[in-house]
Amino acid sequence: MGWKILLVDDETMISDVLEAYLQREGYEVFKSENGLDALRKADSVKPDLIVLDLMLPDISGEEVCRLLRKESDIPILMLTAKSGEDERINGIVIGADDYVTKPFSPREVVVRIQAILRRASKGQERPGSAQLSFNQRQLVIDLIKKEILLHNESISVTPIEYKLLSNMAKHPGRVYSRMDLLEKIQEDGLSYEGYERSIDTHIKNLRKKVETDARDPKFIVTVFGMGYKFGGVPDVKNAAL
């Protein structure tokens, strides 16, 4: 399956044209006509990139971008009729990865999307190729899509839970103190003002999602007096990104 793109634009003609161009390139396309629906689809579909118009009928594209950035680092390409330098700079400041002004060439948008996805995947040719797999694929972490699969089923985790699990899984057996994990969350760009013991709560919630028996965990193991380690057995040599 190819990359998933979410188009957010209330101008049907524009989104239909972009959809046709993107589908021709093999992308799976989803569409929203307003900001609230875009936020819902971003959570349910988990697209690889969002094309976001700034002029939406309910909430602005800028606000949609801000809200997305609180939860995710998904690439965002902004579309707008605003062509001033201040508007372009503001779009980048609030979290956009690129900026295209209307009217635009659909081919240019496709090329920009391809460039953003290349950067996001750090040179990987196809989505899903950077995976960490454990215990005969009982647990799979897709480092590009930021998705966790348990027994081939995608499970819903918070950004903090994903950061905790993916960071520990990159180094199975390594012991992380609570402070280590707290620093990992913060250095990875998540705005988080928790304290060391709050890590225990996130670990408890994460265990409920990934462990067959949370009282006898196999993946997230407590090291008494020290912290936590990842106990999964790698299926192949996992090259962490």
Side-chain angles (χ1 to χ4, degrees):
M1 182 179 293
W3 299 100
K4 293 186 288 188
I5 308 294
L6 175 59
L7 299 177
V8 186
D9 199 317
D10 63 328
E11 296 186 58
T12 305
M13 183 177 298
I14 289 177
S15 60
D16 286 348
V17 170
L18 284 177
E19 179 182 30
Y21 272 79
L22 289 167
Q23 288 179 336
R24 190 182 306 165
E25 296 296 324
Y27 295 101
E28 185 177 4
V29 180
F30 302 84
K31 295 191 291 185
S32 290
E33 295 183 356
N34 61 71
L36 292 177
D37 183 61
L39 292 170
R40 286 192 292 267
K41 280 196 170 72
D43 182 58
S44 61
V45 171
K46 292 181 171 45
D48 300 293
L49 181 143
I50 296 177
V51 179
L52 177 62
D53 183 39
L54 295 188
M55 304 296 289
L56 298 173
D58 51 355
I59 58 178
S60 70
E62 288 97 337
E63 183 61 18
V64 172
C65 185
R66 290 190 187 95
L67 292 170
L68 287 169
R69 279 292 169 262
K70 290 182 179 180
E71 302 291 335
S72 169
D73 57 0
I74 181 173
I76 296 173
L77 172 62
M78 282 188 171
L79 302 179
T80 182
K82 301 176 182 178
S83 59
E85 181 181 9
D86 289 343
E87 285 80 7
R88 293 198 302 272
I89 292 174
N90 183 59
I92 300 300
V93 167
I94 64 176
D97 294 84
D98 203 351
Y99 199 102
V100 176
T101 57
K102 297 178 179 180
F104 54 77
S105 160
R107 290 179 59 193
E108 178 187 358
V109 173
V110 172
V111 169
R112 287 179 180 266
I113 287 173
Q114 291 170 338
I116 293 171
L117 290 174
R118 280 197 301 270
R119 293 195 298 269
S121 63
K122 297 184 180 180
Q124 296 294 327
E125 293 183 359
R126 291 183 57 82
S129 59
Q131 294 183 341
L132 303 178
S133 174
F134 304 93
N135 295 35
Q136 298 181 339
R137 295 191 67 81
Q138 287 183 24
L139 180 70
V140 176
I141 303 173
D142 192 313
L143 299 174
I144 294 178
K145 293 184 177 181
K146 300 189 185 319
E147 183 179 28
I148 297 174
L149 302 174
L150 185 66
H151 302 296
N152 293 320
E153 294 290 335
S154 178
I155 63 173
S156 177
V157 296
T158 67
I160 288 175
E161 290 167 353
Y162 173 82
K163 290 293 186 183
L164 288 172
L165 185 62
S166 61
N167 274 298
M168 286 193 291
K170 290 174 182 178
H171 303 283
R174 173 179 170 180
V175 178
Y176 290 86
S177 69
R178 293 176 180 83
M179 181 56 72
D180 289 336
L181 294 174
L182 188 60
E183 290 176 352
K184 271 294 180 186
I185 294 172
Q186 293 168 337
E187 77 182 23
D188 282 347
L190 284 177
S191 176
Y192 185 67
E193 298 179 355
Y195 49 93
E196 285 184 62
R197 283 293 173 181
S198 65
I199 293 295
D200 295 341
T201 300
H202 293 299
I203 292 293
K204 180 180 178 181
N205 293 335
L206 188 55
R207 277 176 172 162
K208 291 178 181 178
K209 298 177 181 181
V210 302
E211 302 285 2
T212 301
D213 183 357
R215 294 169 298 182
D216 183 25
K218 304 299 182 186
F219 294 116
I220 306 171
V221 180
T222 299
V223 182
F224 292 101
M226 299 181 68
Y228 300 98
K229 69 177 181 180
F230 186 80
V233 179
D235 294 327
V236 295
K237 184 178 180 181
N238 292 321
L241 296 184

